[in-house]
Amino acid sequence: MKFRLMGITNLSTVDWPGKLVTVVFFQGCDLRCPWCQNVDSIDPSGGKNADTDEVIEHIKRLGPIVDTLVVTGGEPLFQPEACLELLKNAKGLGFYCAMETNGGNPQALERLLPYLDFVAIDIKTPLSDSKLYARVAGQMRGTDLTNKIKESLKLAISSKAEVEARTTVVPTLNDDERIVARIANDVKDVDCLRLQQFRNQCTLDPSFQKLSMPNRERLLELARIAKREGLKSVKIFTVEGGLETV
Ligand code: SF4
């Protein structure tokens, strides 16, 4: 099956502690987060043509070294059929399968969940605040989007996959104690909440490049607030400290 591919990282040992990972980056995203740092991945016509059969063969060859396949983007569920094809095959080959998604396509997620061991879903702001969500995600249709993300979260939690909610802490949008507490409350049933640092290089909206990155201490402070909401696990991810459990 043909699809648009942004690229493949054959072997990563740093992003997923304890795992030897191949990452497939799908091209295209349905959101337009103004602070997005993966700008080249957004345009659906960007990247290059690829074929799922060829990518599966490639993954097979990496099999002796790699044990995990991560599909990400862009937004992998922007091309659900190709994503399903890859995950189904990788699972059949015995890979641990993981996906990072913005959560905006619950119907597609439901079809993929049987093949996923791990799913990370972006929770960019509290799900009860559709106006703010629309701003953070660069969308007009905030209510529609938050309803879809709520559905994705529900489906993922009721599946066998490990579920991580991910929030990028962006100054002027969600770098706020009350907002983070509300996000934590929305995702109480996930296995982990990861707060990650906004980076001010190459953002979709150039005005975000003038903002300072929240530092590790700030993320630790917010993570402690999130933890008080009763979450099983809270992690932070920063340039200074990498991935840390709080
Ligand atoms: S940050 Fe937003 S726009 Fe960028 S890839 Fe993720 S969901 Fe898409």
Side-chain angles (χ1 to χ4, degrees), residues 29-33 35-38 41-42 73-75 102 122 124 136-137 204:
C29 184
D30 49 336
L31 302 186
R32 295 290 179 273
C33 310
W35 48 272
C36 176
Q37 301 129 48
N38 211 355
S41 72
I42 297 178
E75 170 52 48
N102 64 32
D122 292 347
K124 299 175 196 289
V136 176
L204 180 61

Side-chain angles (χ1 to χ4, degrees), residues 19-243:
K19 299 218 174 285
L20 298 166
V21 175
T22 292
V23 190
V24 175
F25 295 85
F26 280 75
Q27 182 68 33
C29 184
D30 49 336
L31 302 186
R32 295 290 179 273
C33 310
W35 48 272
C36 176
Q37 301 129 48
N38 211 355
V39 178
D40 292 343
S41 72
I42 297 178
D43 179 2
S45 60
K48 56 186 176 193
N49 283 326
D51 193 294
T52 46
D53 288 344
E54 285 167 19
V55 176
I56 291 158
E57 280 308 311
H58 185 72
I59 293 167
K60 247 189 220 172
R61 283 195 293 275
L62 293 167
I65 319 163
V66 163
D67 54 27
T68 301
L69 172 70
V70 177
V71 291
T72 185
E75 170 52 48
L77 295 183
F78 192 67
Q79 303 184 80
E81 300 307 328
C83 197
L84 179 63
E85 189 84 5
L86 275 194
L87 289 172
K88 226 187 225 181
N89 278 279
K91 198 81 216 126
L93 291 166
F95 280 78
Y96 178 92
C97 293
M99 181 169 69
E100 297 174 330
T101 174
N102 64 32
N105 190 344
Q107 288 84 1
L109 178 65
E110 190 169 22
R111 291 172 61 213
L112 267 63
L113 278 168
Y115 309 102
L116 286 167
D117 300 292
F118 180 100
V119 57
I121 303 181
D122 292 347
I123 306 294
K124 299 175 196 289
T125 72
L127 292 170
S128 52
D129 193 340
S130 50
K131 271 196 187 146
L132 178 60
Y133 216 102
R135 264 180 65 210
V136 176
Q139 285 287 304
M140 299 296 285
R141 48 180 187 96
T143 312
D144 186 29
L145 180 60
T146 48
N147 284 340
K148 285 180 173 165
I149 295 167
K150 281 180 202 165
E151 181 63 20
S152 290
L153 204 54
K154 217 161 94 186
L155 288 165
I157 290 167
S158 57
S159 77
K160 62 167 180 43
E162 190 180 339
V163 184
E164 183 170 281
R166 288 193 184 165
T167 304
T168 303
V169 176
V170 187
T172 73
L173 292 176
N174 62 3
D175 183 357
D176 177 279
E177 292 81 357
R178 277 164 306 177
I179 288 179
V180 170
R182 284 171 65 200
I183 292 173
N185 196 51
D186 282 347
V187 301
K188 258 189 188 149
D189 297 325
V190 300
D191 297 290
C192 174
L193 168 66
R194 184 203 283 208
L195 300 179
Q196 46 197 25
Q197 192 175 39
F198 154 76
R199 307 210 178 145
N200 57 7
Q201 298 96 21
C202 302
T203 52
L204 180 61
D205 176 344
S207 67
F208 279 79
Q209 291 165 27
K210 295 186 193 119
L211 301 176
S212 307
M213 287 164 38
N215 60 23
R216 179 176 170 272
E217 282 61 42
R218 175 61 177 157
L219 261 76
L220 278 172
E221 193 175 50
L222 293 173
R224 286 187 196 111
I225 288 165
K227 237 185 149 181
R228 276 187 230 139
E229 296 299 312
L231 287 162
K232 285 180 215 158
S233 166
V234 180
K235 292 179 182 168
I236 62 165
F237 187 67
T238 61
V239 201
E240 303 97 302
L243 188 62

